[in-house]
Amino acid sequence: MSQPTSRLNQRQREEVTSQQQGAQNTAALEFAAAEEMLRHDAGQIPVPPAVAERLQKSVASEPAPPKSWWQRLLKG
Amino acid sequence: MSALITETPVEPAPETSSPATAVQRVPLEPPELEAIYEEHSRPIFYLALRMLGDPTQAEDATHDVFLKAYRKLGEFKGNSSIRTWLYRITINHCQNLLQTWHRRNIHGTDDETFWERAVGPGDSPLRVLETKELGQRIQKSLDALPEEYRLLLLLVADEKLSYDEVGALTNQSSDAVRGKLHRARKTFAAAFHQTA
């Protein structure tokens, strides 16, 4: 008799989880200020990998840049 | 999904990073450029995206900004933080683009594939839509603001910048930043509500 109960519990758990996920999907986002919304927005947007790939190619075709003050300092 | 802006005191938000939105690592040479890119490319790309309003142009601008930074690494004297220095290059670059005849006459593209890439492969179509929709509303609201307010909000949104640094980047005192920020928030909130 414990198996049907267990199945029922499993189903109930799945339904509850599904409802919770649904609630999260439709919940309103609330932000205290504009910059907080922008911060959230920025967190959703990664840099496209193509930028680094292009940059790598561009840098490879550039002459070496002059050393910065801190590099000169460290290397004497 | 709906989004609200409530006028309550602002608490610093913890930085969130999920696998879906993590920066994909591509090794760059020299090593210092790679480290700089890894740490700062995301805020630079976001600033360019929201200043220009176009993902493709923001990609180009981010590439150009880091290439300029690479060329000028030797001139960087450490008087400001690297991030502030990169922001200055980005602001100048984007403002130049916005002023050119070419930019004024080319309408931004609403790049569908960009928004699909902006969320992780495991995210549902609903999430793609939510991210895109919120992004569009934010872009419309920012576009409705005076340029000064738009830039102010975008810079203040970066928690790594102090008001002094925001002031230095926008050529004003930190007190002026605080004063204008209040008006910028209100103007943005009003514009955002109109996009609903």
Side-chain angles (χ1 to χ4, degrees), chain A residues 31 33-41, chain B residues 3-5 138 188 192:
Chain A
F31 302 98
E35 60 266 35
E36 202 176 293
M37 180 183 276
L38 296 176
R39 210 169 286 141
H40 168 84
D41 185 42
Chain B
L4 300 168
I5 304 175
I138 287 172
F188 179 89
F192 187 79

Side-chain angles (χ1 to χ4, degrees), chain B residues 147-163:
Chain B
E147 189 186 335
E148 185 182 24
Y149 285 179
R150 184 187 319 146
L151 185 55
L152 208 56
L153 285 174
L154 287 168
L155 293 174
V156 170
D158 185 340
E159 289 174 302
K160 290 194 175 171
L161 288 189
S162 66
Y163 281 6

